[in-house]
């Protein structure tokens, strides 16, 4: 039957009106009713659900229920009318969200149950009744009432063991039972009456006899009943007592070979994981192994806070997801948006006295520099700091002492005095590639430090003595080292009695192997800086990757293609431990809380080095290990970052690692992200690089219960999550490092600043490195000032120098977001480079940069907090000078600039995002926030400069990894104390941003289109983002601020050239991508066969 939309609506309305009041009294009436039912059936069986929704809106459900009540009263029942009526009720009820309530209001529950009992012997009529019963039970209250009235007992009379007869009726009964068991009271009633065991027996019978897999829907229906009944604690306990784990595990193993049985496997796996006996983590306490005494009576356990932009919503991630839709992000909760216009308005205020702000004048020496003195400035006035903060000595080239090196098995007494008590002064290494010199080395007026750097200290001093700590154990067997790397000089390398090489000989030989071809990195500089670091564990060893350096691989690695069913396979492996424990070893091989010697015949782990994080390692099977991360200092939560050493491995063997105390509800590891691996042997053979590694990676909820409410973020999150991955190590008996993301330590940052300063052109680059303050742990927090030197000492040039607008950049307030430091590295290297755009940019701005706001957290391997146990990016409203000194003084400096009328044009805080793709900005907008919250906005009252959108639009054009569509300019209540919101509101900075960088890949742009799955971002792409951010600032300056004609002409020429180079590079990149894939697969294919 076909009709137009108008005819459809008219006919439906008329039919419903007639049908709702029609008496069942005469044969003539019966014919009319049958015709009406036939027309309604035809109308509602065609097209989409919109027709049914229209019928519901016109009172169709009530009319049908009234008709059912009338028809059920007739004796004998007229099945010719009842059957189409029941079919319509089942169809309409599925689309009516209030159908259950309407059934109660019409008092139809007893009628439906009565009809079901009456037709137990007539399967066609019974099936129709069961369809309606299932729809009624979709409402929990109605389902509970049906359960009280004996609906479940009735259904178990219909559900029979395996039989080919009346299958349709059995299926309908199982569907109705599953709907009833969604009610917890019905589930308890079912358990108490022994129905759970009956369901297991029925499932076993159907599974055993359905050899042709013709009745998958019945088997899965029985599993759904078990799934709902085990949602309650009593159900899970009864399930375990009835050997449910063994029954389902065995049946799943028999189903794995048939892909058509995926619905059964998935549901059964869900039940197995849910019913796995719950345990606490196998640690003495969930609090961090490290603690730090806080001043006063400060609370060291803050409430859980989500990261900037992390929107976590609980969901059933247990089921296999539609991985093609991983980029669909859930929207921010509207209730979190700030809707108070008075709170959204920028109101510059001070949280301290103007007299207190005066001391920050020392951090703005560029405003008072006259450049008139002919006296040469030293490399850096490193002792300048806040009056209240102690000065920090940084090694220079003028005074030298030699710290000793120590291997891990050497005692402290062999080392002599504590290195922290020595006045260490380490020579600057003469490392730098000639082609990387920024200015003419023959210049007579070069900087004093450059002259010092030209001296070949390596000829005068033993390079092995330039190192503070021992490297972490490189080689267990000295003979292996000699044979592989120095076959021609075995006689000169003598092993110690313990079987290890003498430290000085090894380090000296290692430095000879270092080719010095890693830009802006020097092992000597790193070791010198690491010597000055103060850590809670008192680190005495260096991690080899940080010491040796990282060189990006030639090509980026594509996003890992996830195998279908991988997550359920891993869960089944976990269940096998419980069901078949015969091969489970279960011995602890590494423990920070109990540093006993490593067990023989297994991997050796270590993590007591800068930024390291591994608390415990348990050998589960021969090639499988459970790993537990350490919580943030003075905390019992924040588990995500890991960085540890592993050695004594076999080659070509897949080792499985399970990190079992992750906290986030989802991860980019579920969407193709890989961890990173560094091989010492590869580095010594000329390939010093972190590479993306790992196969069979997935992330899922496990059975370990959080011991504290804080660890679960309140009452919502009660269990930890497992990150599991497999690794085939490239070499036997290698020393490898595994990390969540490319590590970037505090010592790396400090040594990088030293090298940048040495390599700058002092005639063109104004560089000033000062100490913003000392951290809670006693480490200096550096503050950089970078701009262009004035063209001359004339008044006009000096005035132009002082009047340049400020740009204020910060990074690494969250220690686990190492990608932020790589972006900052790219920014710094570009700013001091000889690139013409960089030179022009320095003439436009004065840059104030705090490259690491949380040094203590980075040093001690934290994920999110400082030593106070606080998330520093939630302290900007009221920072404490004692507990949060870096935030307190960074805010003070911003206040000072604002108080003298020099508030920054741009403020940007660099972050990393663990759950989203792309690089993007969070900004602040009153109107966008109010619009998103659904508030009426009076544009006459609420005015706003839309200039906050200019920079992200520019970056969307110039930066391949940046995506404008991922940006957000909403102001949330929960973010009121973050840097971007406080700087925007209190300092009146319109362009106040958080820049988020993904750990994984991009969903748009160059790094997405060049490969079907996209490319994982490496350090090269992150550094590129840092330099492109600088380019965006230059374009912003040209668009937003008045410029001279000369500057505009120079910029136009340079930007045209930049665009041409970018286009050419993009074409070249796309042409080479296939070669990249071939290179990656050929290199890794040797180890993963």
């Amino acid at each position: 039957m076909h009709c137009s939309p108008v005819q459809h609506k008219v006919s439906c309305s008329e039919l419903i009106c007639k049908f709702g009041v029609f008496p069942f009294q005469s044969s003539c009436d019966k014919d009319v009713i049958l015709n009406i039912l036939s027309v309604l059936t035809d109308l509602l069986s065609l097209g989409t659900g919109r027709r049914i929704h229209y019928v519901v809106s016109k009172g169709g459900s009530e009319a049908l229920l009234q008709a059912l009540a009338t028809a059920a009263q007739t004796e004998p029942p007229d099945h010719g009318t009842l059957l189409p009526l029941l079919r319509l009720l089942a169809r309409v009820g599925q689309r009516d969200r209030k159908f259950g309530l309407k059934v109660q209001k019409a008092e139809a529950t007893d009628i439906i149950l009565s009809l079901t009992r009456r037709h137990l012997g007539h399967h066609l009529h019974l099936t129709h009744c069961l369809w309606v019963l299932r729809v009624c039970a979709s409402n929990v209250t109605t389902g509970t009432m049906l359960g009280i009235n004996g609906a479940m007992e009735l259904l178990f009379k219909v559900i029979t063991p395996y039989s080919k007869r009346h299958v349709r009726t059995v299926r309908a009964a199982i569907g109705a039972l599953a709907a009833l068991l969604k009610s917890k009271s019905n589930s308890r009633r079912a358990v108490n009456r022994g129905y759970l065991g009956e369901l297991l027996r029925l499932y076993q019978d159907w599974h055993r006899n359905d050899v042709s897999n013709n009745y998958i829907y019945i088997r899965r229906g029985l599993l759904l009943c078990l799934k709902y009944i085990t949602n309650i604690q009593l159900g899970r306990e009864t399930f375990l007592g009835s050997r449910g784990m063994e029954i389902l595990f065995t049946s799943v193993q028999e189903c794995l070979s048939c892909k058509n049985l995926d619905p059964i496997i998935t549901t059964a796996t869900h039940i197995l994981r849910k019913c796995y006996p719950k345990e606490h983590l196998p640690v003495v306490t969930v609090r961090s192994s490290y603690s730090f005494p806080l001043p006063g009576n400060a609370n060291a356990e803050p409430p859980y806070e989500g990261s900037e932009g992390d929107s976590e919503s609980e969901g059933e991630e247990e089921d296999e997801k539609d991985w093609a839709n991983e980029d669909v992000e859930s929207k921010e909760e509207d209730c979190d948006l700030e809707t108070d216009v008075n709170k959204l308005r920028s109101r510059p205020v001070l949280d301290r006295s103007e007299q207190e702000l005066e001391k920050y004048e020392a951090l703005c020496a560029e405003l008072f520099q006259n450049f008139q003195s002919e006296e040469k400035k030293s490399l850096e006035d490193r002792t300048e700091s806040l009056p209240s903060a102690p000065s920090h000595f940084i090694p220079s080239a003028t005074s030298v002492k030699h710290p000793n090196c120590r291997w891990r098995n050497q005692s402290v007494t062999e080392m002599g005095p504590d290195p922290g008590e020595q006045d260490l002064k380490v020579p600057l290494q003469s490392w730098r590639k000639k082609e990387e010199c920024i200015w003419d080395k023959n210049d007579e007026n070069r900087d004093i430090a450059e002259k010092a750097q030209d001296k070949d200290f390596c000829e005068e001093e033993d390079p092995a003595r330039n190192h503070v700590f021992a490297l972490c154990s490189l080689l267990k067997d000295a003979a292996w080292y000699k044979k592989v790397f120095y076959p021609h000089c075995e006689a000169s390398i003598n092993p110690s009695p313990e079987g290890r090489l003498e430290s000085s000989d090894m380090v000296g030989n290692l430095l000879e192997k270092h080719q010095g071809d890693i830009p802006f990195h020097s092992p000597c500089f790193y070791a010198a800086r690491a010597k000055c670091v103060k850590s809670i564990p008192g680190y005495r060893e260096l991690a080899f990757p940080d010491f040796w350096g990282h060189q990006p691989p030639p090509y980026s690695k594509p996003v890992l293609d996830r195998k279908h069913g991988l997550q359920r396979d891993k869960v089944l492996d976990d269940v096998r431990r419980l069901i078949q424990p015969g091969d489970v070893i279960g011995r602890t091989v590494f423990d920070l809380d109990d540093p006993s010697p490593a067990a023989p015949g297994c991997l050796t782990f270590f993590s007591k080095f800068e930024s390291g994080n591994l608390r415990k390692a348990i050998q589960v099977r021969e090639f499988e290990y459970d790993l537990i991360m350490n919580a943030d200092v003075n905390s019992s939560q924040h588990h995500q970052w890991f960085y540890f050493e592993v050695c004594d491995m076999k080659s070509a063997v897949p080792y499985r690692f399970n990190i079992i105390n992750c906290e986030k509800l989802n991860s980019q590891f579920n969407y193709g992200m890989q961890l990173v691996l560094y091989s010492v042997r590869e580095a010594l053979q000329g390939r010093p690089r972190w590479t993306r590694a790992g196969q069979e990676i997935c992330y899922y909820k496990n059975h370990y219960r959080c011991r504290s409410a804080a660890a679960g973020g309140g009452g919502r999150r009660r269990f930890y999550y497992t990150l599991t991955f497999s690794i085939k190590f490239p070499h036997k008996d290698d020393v490898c490092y595994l990390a969540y993301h490319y590590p970037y330590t505090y010592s790396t940052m400090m040594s990088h600043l030293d090298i940048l300063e040495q390599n700058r052109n002092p005639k063109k680059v104004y560089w000033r490195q000062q100490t913003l303050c000392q951290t809670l742990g006693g480490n200096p927090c550096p503050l950089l000032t970078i701009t262009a030197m004035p063209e001359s000492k004339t008044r006009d040039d000096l005035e132009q120098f002082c009047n340049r607008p400020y740009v204020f950049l910060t990074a690494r307030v969250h220690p686990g977001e190492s990608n932020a430091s790589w972006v900052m590295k790219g920014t710094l290297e570009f700013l001091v480079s000889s690139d013409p755009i960089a030179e022009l940019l320095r003439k436009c701005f004065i840059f104030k940069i705090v490259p690491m706001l949380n040094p203590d957290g980075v040093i001690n391997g934290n994920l999110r907090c400082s030593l106070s146990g606080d998330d520093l990016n939630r302290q900007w409203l009221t920072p404490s000078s004692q507990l949060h000194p870096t935030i307190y003084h960074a805010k003070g400096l911003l206040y000072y600039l604002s108080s003298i009328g020099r508030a920054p044009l741009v403020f940007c805080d660099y972050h990393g995002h663990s759950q989203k793709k792309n690089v993007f900005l969070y900004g602040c907008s009153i109107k966008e926030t109010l619009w998103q919250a659904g508030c009426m906005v009076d544009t006459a009252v609420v005015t706003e400069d839309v200039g906050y959108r200019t920079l992200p639009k520019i970056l969307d054009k110039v930066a391949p990894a940046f995506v404008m569509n991922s940006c957000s300019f909403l102001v949330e209540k929960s973010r009121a104390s973050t840097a971007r919101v406080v700087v925007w509101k209190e300092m009146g900075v319109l362009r106040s941003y958080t820049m988020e960088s993904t750990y994984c890949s991009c969903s748009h742009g160059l790094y997405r289109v060049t490969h079907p799955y996209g490319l994982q971002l490496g350090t090269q792409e992150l550094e590129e983002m840092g330099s492109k951010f600088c380019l965006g600032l230059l374009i912003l300056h040209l668009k937003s601020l008045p410029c001279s004609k000369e500057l505009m002409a120079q910029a136009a020429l340079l930007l045209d050239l930049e665009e041409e180079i970018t286009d050419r590079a993009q074409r070249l990149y796309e042409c080479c991508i296939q070669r990249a894939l071939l290179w990656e697969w050929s290199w890794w294919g040797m180890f993963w066969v």
Side-chain angles (χ1 to χ4, degrees), residues 448-556:
I448 293 177
E450 176 63 16
K451 294 179 181 180
Q453 187 177 355
D454 284 344
K455 298 180 181 181
D456 190 359
F457 287 95
C458 293
E459 293 179 1
E460 300 176 10
E461 309 291 348
D462 179 4
R465 297 295 183 181
N466 288 343
H467 295 275
V468 185
F469 307 152
L471 296 175
C472 293
S473 59
L474 295 182
L475 312 160
K476 186 176 182 181
D477 184 3
W480 179 92
Y481 176 84
K482 293 186 292 184
K483 180 178 179 180
V484 173
F485 299 107
Y486 294 96
H488 58 284
C489 58
E490 291 188 17
S492 64
I493 306 177
N494 300 316
S496 65
E498 293 85 357
R500 291 183 179 269
L501 294 174
E502 293 294 340
S503 60
S504 60
D505 290 335
M506 175 177 283
V507 175
N509 290 326
L510 285 175
L511 286 177
E512 291 178 6
K513 291 286 290 184
H514 199 281
Q515 299 174 3
D517 57 351
I518 300 177
F520 301 102
H521 179 78
S522 163
C524 291
F525 275 44
Y526 183 87
R529 278 301 185 175
K531 170 67 173 66
C532 303
V533 169
K534 298 178 181 179
S535 63
I536 294 178
Y539 297 134
R540 309 286 294 188
E541 305 187 26
L542 305 180
F544 186 87
D546 306 318
F547 166 77
W548 199 254
H550 160 74
Q551 194 173 57
Y555 301 104
S556 299

Side-chain angles (χ1 to χ4, degrees), residues 119-179:
H119 295 101
L120 283 176
H122 197 296
H123 291 281
L124 176 61
H125 300 160
L126 178 60
T127 302
H128 285 70
C129 293
L130 293 172
W131 289 343
V132 178
L133 186 64
R134 175 181 180 178
V135 174
C136 294
S138 61
N139 177 272
V140 175
T141 305
T142 308
T144 302
M145 185 179 299
L146 289 168
I148 293 172
N149 293 332
M152 287 190 294
E153 293 82 351
L154 183 61
L155 293 174
F156 272 100
K157 294 179 181 179
V158 181
I159 303 171
T160 62
Y162 176 80
S163 173
K164 295 183 180 180
R165 298 182 59 194
H166 311 305
V167 174
R168 192 182 186 193
T169 304
V170 173
R171 181 182 180 184
I174 293 174
L177 179 61

Side-chain angles (χ1 to χ4, degrees), residues 351-611:
D351 68 350
R352 61 199 81 183
S353 65
E354 293 186 2
Q355 290 76 16
E356 187 178 353
L357 290 180
E358 292 178 359
K359 64 183 179 181
Y360 294 101
E361 179 181 316
L363 299 178
C364 298
E366 66 279 357
L367 296 178
F368 313 100
Q369 186 83 44
N370 57 22
F371 298 94
Q372 298 299 320
S373 174
E374 297 295 332
E375 181 182 356
K376 282 286 184 180
K377 297 291 182 182
S378 63
L379 178 64
E380 170 197 334
D381 184 3
R382 298 183 187 269
T383 59
E384 285 193 356
S385 61
L386 295 177
S388 60
S391 61
H392 174 67
F393 180 80
I394 297 180
S396 67
T398 57
S399 55
V400 179
K401 284 189 179 181
H402 305 299
N404 294 322
C405 287
R406 182 176 68 87
W407 294 104
R408 189 188 307 164
N409 58 354
Q410 287 181 278
S411 65
V412 177
T413 55
E414 296 176 69
M415 284 288 296
D418 187 331
E421 299 174 359
Q422 299 178 20
D423 185 15
L424 172 70
K425 301 174 182 179
V426 181
L428 301 176
Q429 187 200 23
S430 61
W431 167 88
R432 186 182 63 185
K433 296 180 67 178
K434 292 183 179 180
E435 59 268 27
E436 294 180 86
C437 293
I438 301 177
W439 70 95
D440 185 6
K441 298 186 71 172
N442 295 323
D443 193 325
E444 294 180 355
N445 297 321
R446 76 180 69 174
D447 195 276
I448 293 177
E450 176 63 16
K451 294 179 181 180
Q453 187 177 355
D454 284 344
K455 298 180 181 181
D456 190 359
F457 287 95
C458 293
E459 293 179 1
E460 300 176 10
E461 309 291 348
D462 179 4
R465 297 295 183 181
N466 288 343
H467 295 275
V468 185
F469 307 152
L471 296 175
C472 293
S473 59
L474 295 182
L475 312 160
K476 186 176 182 181
D477 184 3
W480 179 92
Y481 176 84
K482 293 186 292 184
K483 180 178 179 180
V484 173
F485 299 107
Y486 294 96
H488 58 284
C489 58
E490 291 188 17
S492 64
I493 306 177
N494 300 316
S496 65
E498 293 85 357
R500 291 183 179 269
L501 294 174
E502 293 294 340
S503 60
S504 60
D505 290 335
M506 175 177 283
V507 175
N509 290 326
L510 285 175
L511 286 177
E512 291 178 6
K513 291 286 290 184
H514 199 281
Q515 299 174 3
D517 57 351
I518 300 177
F520 301 102
H521 179 78
S522 163
C524 291
F525 275 44
Y526 183 87
R529 278 301 185 175
K531 170 67 173 66
C532 303
V533 169
K534 298 178 181 179
S535 63
I536 294 178
Y539 297 134
R540 309 286 294 188
E541 305 187 26
L542 305 180
F544 186 87
D546 306 318
F547 166 77
W548 199 254
H550 160 74
Q551 194 173 57
Y555 301 104
S556 299
K557 197 168 185 182
V559 170
L560 188 66
D561 184 18
R562 174 162 166 156
K563 184 182 72 174
H564 174 75
L566 175 63
Q567 180 174 296
R568 87 179 170 217
D569 292 344
K570 296 301 181 182
V571 172
L572 292 175
D573 281 345
D574 294 344
V575 174
R576 186 178 287 108
R577 296 190 199 179
L578 181 70
I579 306 300
Q580 302 170 358
D583 61 343
V584 175
I585 300 173
R587 64 171 173 174
T588 300
V589 297
F590 173 77
D591 193 346
L592 275 183
D593 302 315
D594 181 20
S596 54
C602 63
L603 294 177
T604 302
F605 295 87
F606 188 71
S607 66
K608 292 189 70 173
F609 48 79
E610 197 172 334
S611 293

Side-chain angles (χ1 to χ4, degrees), residues 1005-1017:
L1006 176 64
Y1007 300 131
R1008 175 65 179 88
V1009 299
T1010 49
H1011 188 273
Y1013 302 108
L1015 298 174
Q1016 298 182 76
L1017 298 190

Side-chain angles (χ1 to χ4, degrees), residues 10-27:
V10 173
S11 58
C12 280
S13 300
E14 293 175 351
L15 288 169
I16 291 165
C17 291
K18 292 179 180 179
F19 194 60
V21 298
F22 209 86
F24 292 77
Q25 294 177 351
S26 64
S27 59

